[in-house]
Amino acid sequence: MKTFVVTLGLMLSLAASAANPPMPKYNLASGEVYGEYEELTNEWCKDTEDRPCVAGEVKKENGQVVLYLVDFDRTIPLKPTAAGRLVFKWENPKDDDCDDPGCWNLLGLSGVIYPKLKAGKWVPALKVFARKDYPFPDEEGAPEGEVTEIYKYNKR
């Protein structure tokens, strides 16, 4: 019986992997990563066609491949990894000084562009980690101190 279960599991695993195309690896020349990315975790912003708003864009600027993050108004260079992902990191060189209740200081941004399986097809996805400092919470339960917020996007 154990042999049957193991064999069945192996066959199902092979069938599932055969149904999906192989996972792509991205580099700075991968055309599929260029273009606009829309946010998955935000329902309040829609464009004129009722799609999620564009929150990021991968483009070539001054000969360098960069990611522009709309919500943070930051352009950050992308770097390839051996694993076939594109990564980025930006640390805030300024000492922001928010002093209003509920405001936050942006400490840094980092993240990755990676392949994500969507409807049987690999599409570029973007995950952003935003490090923020909330020095003065404006209400009970509001974020306080250093917090990392995660934003997820799919290529449009």
Side-chain angles (χ1 to χ4, degrees), residues 19-46:
N20 295 325
M23 184 183 305
K25 290 188 173 192
Y26 298 142
N27 60 45
L28 298 178
S30 301
E32 63 267 33
V33 300
Y34 286 80
E36 298 174 333
Y37 289 76
E38 56 190 25
E39 193 167 346
L40 297 177
T41 54
N42 190 344
E43 290 297 317
W44 59 268
C45 184
K46 300 284 185 179

PDB file of all heavy atoms in Angstrom, residues 19-46:
ATOM      1  N   ALA A  19       2.642  20.230 -16.501  1.00  0.00           N
ATOM      2  CA  ALA A  19       1.593  21.147 -16.944  1.00  0.00           C
ATOM      3  C   ALA A  19       2.048  22.600 -16.914  1.00  0.00           C
ATOM      4  O   ALA A  19       1.514  23.431 -17.638  1.00  0.00           O
ATOM      5  CB  ALA A  19       0.360  20.979 -16.071  1.00  0.00           C
ATOM      6  N   ASN A  20       3.017  22.923 -16.083  1.00  0.00           N
ATOM      7  CA  ASN A  20       3.498  24.300 -15.961  1.00  0.00           C
ATOM      8  C   ASN A  20       4.805  24.474 -16.718  1.00  0.00           C
ATOM      9  O   ASN A  20       5.668  23.603 -16.675  1.00  0.00           O
ATOM     10  CB  ASN A  20       3.722  24.660 -14.490  1.00  0.00           C
ATOM     11  CG  ASN A  20       2.435  24.653 -13.711  1.00  0.00           C
ATOM     12  OD1 ASN A  20       1.389  25.002 -14.227  1.00  0.00           O
ATOM     13  ND2 ASN A  20       2.500  24.224 -12.470  1.00  0.00           N
ATOM     14  N   PRO A  21       4.969  25.606 -17.396  1.00  0.00           N
ATOM     15  CA  PRO A  21       6.245  25.860 -18.071  1.00  0.00           C
ATOM     16  C   PRO A  21       7.354  26.030 -17.031  1.00  0.00           C
ATOM     17  O   PRO A  21       7.086  26.342 -15.874  1.00  0.00           O
ATOM     18  CB  PRO A  21       5.991  27.165 -18.825  1.00  0.00           C
ATOM     19  CG  PRO A  21       4.824  27.798 -18.159  1.00  0.00           C
ATOM     20  CD  PRO A  21       4.026  26.694 -17.535  1.00  0.00           C
ATOM     21  N   PRO A  22       8.596  25.803 -17.436  1.00  0.00           N
ATOM     22  CA  PRO A  22       9.700  25.958 -16.477  1.00  0.00           C
ATOM     23  C   PRO A  22       9.795  27.400 -15.976  1.00  0.00           C
ATOM     24  O   PRO A  22       9.507  28.346 -16.719  1.00  0.00           O
ATOM     25  CB  PRO A  22      10.947  25.563 -17.267  1.00  0.00           C
ATOM     26  CG  PRO A  22      10.539  25.584 -18.696  1.00  0.00           C
ATOM     27  CD  PRO A  22       9.052  25.438 -18.760  1.00  0.00           C
ATOM     28  N   MET A  23      10.189  27.551 -14.709  1.00  0.00           N
ATOM     29  CA  MET A  23      10.303  28.879 -14.106  1.00  0.00           C
ATOM     30  C   MET A  23      11.421  29.673 -14.797  1.00  0.00           C
ATOM     31  O   MET A  23      12.544  29.198 -14.900  1.00  0.00           O
ATOM     32  CB  MET A  23      10.595  28.780 -12.613  1.00  0.00           C
ATOM     33  CG  MET A  23      10.618  30.133 -11.927  1.00  0.00           C
ATOM     34  SD  MET A  23      11.055  30.085 -10.170  1.00  0.00           S
ATOM     35  CE  MET A  23       9.872  28.958  -9.528  1.00  0.00           C
ATOM     36  N   PRO A  24      11.111  30.881 -15.254  1.00  0.00           N
ATOM     37  CA  PRO A  24      12.142  31.684 -15.917  1.00  0.00           C
ATOM     38  C   PRO A  24      13.116  32.297 -14.912  1.00  0.00           C
ATOM     39  O   PRO A  24      12.821  32.413 -13.730  1.00  0.00           O
ATOM     40  CB  PRO A  24      11.336  32.783 -16.612  1.00  0.00           C
ATOM     41  CG  PRO A  24      10.114  32.927 -15.785  1.00  0.00           C
ATOM     42  CD  PRO A  24       9.813  31.548 -15.244  1.00  0.00           C
ATOM     43  N   LYS A  25      14.276  32.669 -15.430  1.00  0.00           N
ATOM     44  CA  LYS A  25      15.245  33.435 -14.652  1.00  0.00           C
ATOM     45  C   LYS A  25      15.336  34.802 -15.319  1.00  0.00           C
ATOM     46  O   LYS A  25      15.376  34.900 -16.541  1.00  0.00           O
ATOM     47  CB  LYS A  25      16.608  32.752 -14.649  1.00  0.00           C
ATOM     48  CG  LYS A  25      16.620  31.475 -13.849  1.00  0.00           C
ATOM     49  CD  LYS A  25      18.021  30.936 -13.714  1.00  0.00           C
ATOM     50  CE  LYS A  25      18.018  29.761 -12.768  1.00  0.00           C
ATOM     51  NZ  LYS A  25      19.359  29.381 -12.377  1.00  0.00           N
ATOM     52  N   TYR A  26      15.346  35.846 -14.492  1.00  0.00           N
ATOM     53  CA  TYR A  26      15.401  37.210 -15.020  1.00  0.00           C
ATOM     54  C   TYR A  26      16.796  37.794 -14.866  1.00  0.00           C
ATOM     55  O   TYR A  26      17.520  37.485 -13.921  1.00  0.00           O
ATOM     56  CB  TYR A  26      14.411  38.111 -14.273  1.00  0.00           C
ATOM     57  CG  TYR A  26      12.961  37.707 -14.398  1.00  0.00           C
ATOM     58  CD1 TYR A  26      12.107  37.824 -13.321  1.00  0.00           C
ATOM     59  CD2 TYR A  26      12.447  37.207 -15.582  1.00  0.00           C
ATOM     60  CE1 TYR A  26      10.766  37.462 -13.422  1.00  0.00           C
ATOM     61  CE2 TYR A  26      11.119  36.848 -15.694  1.00  0.00           C
ATOM     62  CZ  TYR A  26      10.280  36.980 -14.617  1.00  0.00           C
ATOM     63  OH  TYR A  26       8.961  36.627 -14.723  1.00  0.00           O
ATOM     64  N   ASN A  27      17.136  38.659 -15.823  1.00  0.00           N
ATOM     65  CA  ASN A  27      18.347  39.463 -15.717  1.00  0.00           C
ATOM     66  C   ASN A  27      18.002  40.847 -16.266  1.00  0.00           C
ATOM     67  O   ASN A  27      16.855  41.105 -16.621  1.00  0.00           O
ATOM     68  CB  ASN A  27      19.529  38.807 -16.448  1.00  0.00           C
ATOM     69  CG  ASN A  27      19.250  38.607 -17.925  1.00  0.00           C
ATOM     70  OD1 ASN A  27      18.751  39.491 -18.604  1.00  0.00           O
ATOM     71  ND2 ASN A  27      19.565  37.417 -18.427  1.00  0.00           N
ATOM     72  N   LEU A  28      18.970  41.732 -16.342  1.00  0.00           N
ATOM     73  CA  LEU A  28      18.691  43.109 -16.754  1.00  0.00           C
ATOM     74  C   LEU A  28      18.273  43.223 -18.220  1.00  0.00           C
ATOM     75  O   LEU A  28      17.733  44.243 -18.629  1.00  0.00           O
ATOM     76  CB  LEU A  28      19.896  43.999 -16.467  1.00  0.00           C
ATOM     77  CG  LEU A  28      20.273  44.100 -14.981  1.00  0.00           C
ATOM     78  CD1 LEU A  28      21.520  44.964 -14.812  1.00  0.00           C
ATOM     79  CD2 LEU A  28      19.129  44.652 -14.159  1.00  0.00           C
ATOM     80  N   ALA A  29      18.491  42.164 -19.013  1.00  0.00           N
ATOM     81  CA  ALA A  29      18.094  42.171 -20.421  1.00  0.00           C
ATOM     82  C   ALA A  29      16.738  41.496 -20.647  1.00  0.00           C
ATOM     83  O   ALA A  29      16.262  41.454 -21.774  1.00  0.00           O
ATOM     84  CB  ALA A  29      19.169  41.476 -21.256  1.00  0.00           C
ATOM     85  N   SER A  30      16.117  40.985 -19.602  1.00  0.00           N
ATOM     86  CA  SER A  30      14.828  40.292 -19.725  1.00  0.00           C
ATOM     87  C   SER A  30      13.720  41.301 -20.016  1.00  0.00           C
ATOM     88  O   SER A  30      13.290  42.033 -19.126  1.00  0.00           O
ATOM     89  CB  SER A  30      14.508  39.512 -18.444  1.00  0.00           C
ATOM     90  OG  SER A  30      15.501  38.569 -18.168  1.00  0.00           O
ATOM     91  N   GLY A  31      13.247  41.307 -21.240  1.00  0.00           N
ATOM     92  CA  GLY A  31      12.232  42.264 -21.657  1.00  0.00           C
ATOM     93  C   GLY A  31      10.924  42.151 -20.906  1.00  0.00           C
ATOM     94  O   GLY A  31      10.211  43.146 -20.732  1.00  0.00           O
ATOM     95  N   GLU A  32      10.590  40.960 -20.429  1.00  0.00           N
ATOM     96  CA  GLU A  32       9.299  40.779 -19.760  1.00  0.00           C
ATOM     97  C   GLU A  32       9.193  41.513 -18.427  1.00  0.00           C
ATOM     98  O   GLU A  32       8.093  41.756 -17.943  1.00  0.00           O
ATOM     99  CB  GLU A  32       8.958  39.288 -19.573  1.00  0.00           C
ATOM    100  CG  GLU A  32       9.902  38.516 -18.694  1.00  0.00           C
ATOM    101  CD  GLU A  32      11.035  37.825 -19.442  1.00  0.00           C
ATOM    102  OE1 GLU A  32      11.497  38.361 -20.457  1.00  0.00           O
ATOM    103  OE2 GLU A  32      11.466  36.766 -18.990  1.00  0.00           O
ATOM    104  N   VAL A  33      10.307  41.908 -17.827  1.00  0.00           N
ATOM    105  CA  VAL A  33      10.227  42.620 -16.543  1.00  0.00           C
ATOM    106  C   VAL A  33      10.001  44.117 -16.733  1.00  0.00           C
ATOM    107  O   VAL A  33       9.591  44.802 -15.791  1.00  0.00           O
ATOM    108  CB  VAL A  33      11.476  42.386 -15.656  1.00  0.00           C
ATOM    109  CG1 VAL A  33      11.631  40.918 -15.340  1.00  0.00           C
ATOM    110  CG2 VAL A  33      12.710  42.973 -16.267  1.00  0.00           C
ATOM    111  N   TYR A  34      10.248  44.623 -17.935  1.00  0.00           N
ATOM    112  CA  TYR A  34      10.066  46.055 -18.192  1.00  0.00           C
ATOM    113  C   TYR A  34       8.583  46.388 -18.273  1.00  0.00           C
ATOM    114  O   TYR A  34       7.788  45.606 -18.760  1.00  0.00           O
ATOM    115  CB  TYR A  34      10.746  46.458 -19.501  1.00  0.00           C
ATOM    116  CG  TYR A  34      12.247  46.512 -19.412  1.00  0.00           C
ATOM    117  CD1 TYR A  34      13.009  45.359 -19.493  1.00  0.00           C
ATOM    118  CD2 TYR A  34      12.904  47.714 -19.238  1.00  0.00           C
ATOM    119  CE1 TYR A  34      14.383  45.393 -19.401  1.00  0.00           C
ATOM    120  CE2 TYR A  34      14.284  47.774 -19.145  1.00  0.00           C
ATOM    121  CZ  TYR A  34      15.012  46.596 -19.224  1.00  0.00           C
ATOM    122  OH  TYR A  34      16.375  46.646 -19.130  1.00  0.00           O
ATOM    123  N   GLY A  35       8.213  47.561 -17.774  1.00  0.00           N
ATOM    124  CA  GLY A  35       6.840  48.017 -17.861  1.00  0.00           C
ATOM    125  C   GLY A  35       6.253  48.336 -16.503  1.00  0.00           C
ATOM    126  O   GLY A  35       6.972  48.503 -15.519  1.00  0.00           O
ATOM    127  N   GLU A  36       4.927  48.423 -16.480  1.00  0.00           N
ATOM    128  CA  GLU A  36       4.213  48.877 -15.299  1.00  0.00           C
ATOM    129  C   GLU A  36       3.769  47.716 -14.408  1.00  0.00           C
ATOM    130  O   GLU A  36       3.429  46.634 -14.894  1.00  0.00           O
ATOM    131  CB  GLU A  36       2.987  49.676 -15.729  1.00  0.00           C
ATOM    132  CG  GLU A  36       3.352  50.917 -16.524  1.00  0.00           C
ATOM    133  CD  GLU A  36       2.141  51.638 -17.075  1.00  0.00           C
ATOM    134  OE1 GLU A  36       1.087  51.001 -17.320  1.00  0.00           O
ATOM    135  OE2 GLU A  36       2.253  52.860 -17.258  1.00  0.00           O
ATOM    136  N   TYR A  37       3.750  48.002 -13.108  1.00  0.00           N
ATOM    137  CA  TYR A  37       3.300  47.037 -12.102  1.00  0.00           C
ATOM    138  C   TYR A  37       2.155  47.668 -11.319  1.00  0.00           C
ATOM    139  O   TYR A  37       2.214  48.831 -10.951  1.00  0.00           O
ATOM    140  CB  TYR A  37       4.450  46.684 -11.149  1.00  0.00           C
ATOM    141  CG  TYR A  37       5.518  45.844 -11.809  1.00  0.00           C
ATOM    142  CD1 TYR A  37       6.429  46.404 -12.690  1.00  0.00           C
ATOM    143  CD2 TYR A  37       5.594  44.476 -11.564  1.00  0.00           C
ATOM    144  CE1 TYR A  37       7.397  45.633 -13.312  1.00  0.00           C
ATOM    145  CE2 TYR A  37       6.566  43.696 -12.173  1.00  0.00           C
ATOM    146  CZ  TYR A  37       7.456  44.284 -13.053  1.00  0.00           C
ATOM    147  OH  TYR A  37       8.417  43.515 -13.665  1.00  0.00           O
ATOM    148  N   GLU A  38       1.115  46.864 -11.080  1.00  0.00           N
ATOM    149  CA  GLU A  38      -0.030  47.353 -10.327  1.00  0.00           C
ATOM    150  C   GLU A  38      -0.098  46.657  -8.981  1.00  0.00           C
ATOM    151  O   GLU A  38       0.249  45.492  -8.844  1.00  0.00           O
ATOM    152  CB  GLU A  38      -1.323  47.172 -11.119  1.00  0.00           C
ATOM    153  CG  GLU A  38      -1.584  45.755 -11.567  1.00  0.00           C
ATOM    154  CD  GLU A  38      -2.742  45.646 -12.550  1.00  0.00           C
ATOM    155  OE1 GLU A  38      -3.052  46.624 -13.254  1.00  0.00           O
ATOM    156  OE2 GLU A  38      -3.338  44.564 -12.600  1.00  0.00           O
ATOM    157  N   GLU A  39      -0.551  47.397  -7.989  1.00  0.00           N
ATOM    158  CA  GLU A  39      -0.565  46.903  -6.618  1.00  0.00           C
ATOM    159  C   GLU A  39      -1.692  45.906  -6.402  1.00  0.00           C
ATOM    160  O   GLU A  39      -2.811  46.104  -6.840  1.00  0.00           O
ATOM    161  CB  GLU A  39      -0.690  48.072  -5.643  1.00  0.00           C
ATOM    162  CG  GLU A  39      -0.399  47.693  -4.226  1.00  0.00           C
ATOM    163  CD  GLU A  39      -0.213  48.886  -3.316  1.00  0.00           C
ATOM    164  OE1 GLU A  39      -0.047  49.998  -3.806  1.00  0.00           O
ATOM    165  OE2 GLU A  39      -0.244  48.673  -2.101  1.00  0.00           O
ATOM    166  N   LEU A  40      -1.382  44.832  -5.681  1.00  0.00           N
ATOM    167  CA  LEU A  40      -2.374  43.801  -5.376  1.00  0.00           C
ATOM    168  C   LEU A  40      -3.069  44.051  -4.052  1.00  0.00           C
ATOM    169  O   LEU A  40      -4.192  43.608  -3.846  1.00  0.00           O
ATOM    170  CB  LEU A  40      -1.695  42.428  -5.299  1.00  0.00           C
ATOM    171  CG  LEU A  40      -1.045  41.919  -6.566  1.00  0.00           C
ATOM    172  CD1 LEU A  40      -0.360  40.591  -6.299  1.00  0.00           C
ATOM    173  CD2 LEU A  40      -2.061  41.780  -7.666  1.00  0.00           C
ATOM    174  N   THR A  41      -2.397  44.726  -3.134  1.00  0.00           N
ATOM    175  CA  THR A  41      -2.908  44.834  -1.766  1.00  0.00           C
ATOM    176  C   THR A  41      -3.637  46.148  -1.516  1.00  0.00           C
ATOM    177  O   THR A  41      -3.837  46.522  -0.382  1.00  0.00           O
ATOM    178  CB  THR A  41      -1.736  44.698  -0.771  1.00  0.00           C
ATOM    179  OG1 THR A  41      -0.736  45.660  -1.111  1.00  0.00           O
ATOM    180  CG2 THR A  41      -1.148  43.306  -0.809  1.00  0.00           C
ATOM    181  N   ASN A  42      -4.037  46.841  -2.564  1.00  0.00           N
ATOM    182  CA  ASN A  42      -4.670  48.133  -2.387  1.00  0.00           C
ATOM    183  C   ASN A  42      -5.901  48.237  -3.281  1.00  0.00           C
ATOM    184  O   ASN A  42      -5.773  48.318  -4.489  1.00  0.00           O
ATOM    185  CB  ASN A  42      -3.669  49.247  -2.725  1.00  0.00           C
ATOM    186  CG  ASN A  42      -4.167  50.601  -2.335  1.00  0.00           C
ATOM    187  OD1 ASN A  42      -5.347  50.791  -2.087  1.00  0.00           O
ATOM    188  ND2 ASN A  42      -3.281  51.554  -2.293  1.00  0.00           N
ATOM    189  N   GLU A  43      -7.067  48.257  -2.705  1.00  0.00           N
ATOM    190  CA  GLU A  43      -8.310  48.318  -3.470  1.00  0.00           C
ATOM    191  C   GLU A  43      -8.845  49.742  -3.663  1.00  0.00           C
ATOM    192  O   GLU A  43      -9.770  49.955  -4.408  1.00  0.00           O
ATOM    193  CB  GLU A  43      -9.381  47.461  -2.785  1.00  0.00           C
ATOM    194  CG  GLU A  43      -9.111  45.981  -2.888  1.00  0.00           C
ATOM    195  CD  GLU A  43      -9.129  45.477  -4.323  1.00  0.00           C
ATOM    196  OE1 GLU A  43     -10.025  45.867  -5.098  1.00  0.00           O
ATOM    197  OE2 GLU A  43      -8.236  44.701  -4.680  1.00  0.00           O
ATOM    198  N   TRP A  44      -8.279  50.717  -2.984  1.00  0.00           N
ATOM    199  CA  TRP A  44      -8.866  52.053  -3.019  1.00  0.00           C
ATOM    200  C   TRP A  44      -8.443  52.868  -4.236  1.00  0.00           C
ATOM    201  O   TRP A  44      -9.049  53.886  -4.546  1.00  0.00           O
ATOM    202  CB  TRP A  44      -8.562  52.831  -1.745  1.00  0.00           C
ATOM    203  CG  TRP A  44      -7.094  53.011  -1.478  1.00  0.00           C
ATOM    204  CD1 TRP A  44      -6.296  52.191  -0.741  1.00  0.00           C
ATOM    205  CD2 TRP A  44      -6.260  54.060  -1.948  1.00  0.00           C
ATOM    206  NE1 TRP A  44      -5.010  52.667  -0.730  1.00  0.00           N
ATOM    207  CE2 TRP A  44      -4.960  53.824  -1.456  1.00  0.00           C
ATOM    208  CE3 TRP A  44      -6.474  55.192  -2.727  1.00  0.00           C
ATOM    209  CZ2 TRP A  44      -3.890  54.659  -1.732  1.00  0.00           C
ATOM    210  CZ3 TRP A  44      -5.403  56.023  -2.992  1.00  0.00           C
ATOM    211  CH2 TRP A  44      -4.134  55.749  -2.501  1.00  0.00           C
ATOM    212  N   CYS A  45      -7.428  52.456  -4.954  1.00  0.00           N
ATOM    213  CA  CYS A  45      -6.974  53.241  -6.098  1.00  0.00           C
ATOM    214  C   CYS A  45      -7.236  52.478  -7.389  1.00  0.00           C
ATOM    215  O   CYS A  45      -6.723  51.376  -7.580  1.00  0.00           O
ATOM    216  CB  CYS A  45      -5.481  53.553  -5.958  1.00  0.00           C
ATOM    217  SG  CYS A  45      -4.857  54.617  -7.283  1.00  0.00           S
ATOM    218  N   LYS A  46      -8.044  53.067  -8.265  1.00  0.00           N
ATOM    219  CA  LYS A  46      -8.356  52.471  -9.569  1.00  0.00           C
ATOM    220  C   LYS A  46      -8.089  53.510 -10.655  1.00  0.00           C
ATOM    221  O   LYS A  46      -8.262  54.710 -10.447  1.00  0.00           O
ATOM    222  CB  LYS A  46      -9.831  52.054  -9.638  1.00  0.00           C
ATOM    223  CG  LYS A  46     -10.246  51.043  -8.592  1.00  0.00           C
ATOM    224  CD  LYS A  46      -9.756  49.673  -8.934  1.00  0.00           C
ATOM    225  CE  LYS A  46     -10.304  48.676  -7.919  1.00  0.00           C
ATOM    226  NZ  LYS A  46      -9.899  47.335  -8.196  1.00  0.00           N
TER     227      LYS A  46
END
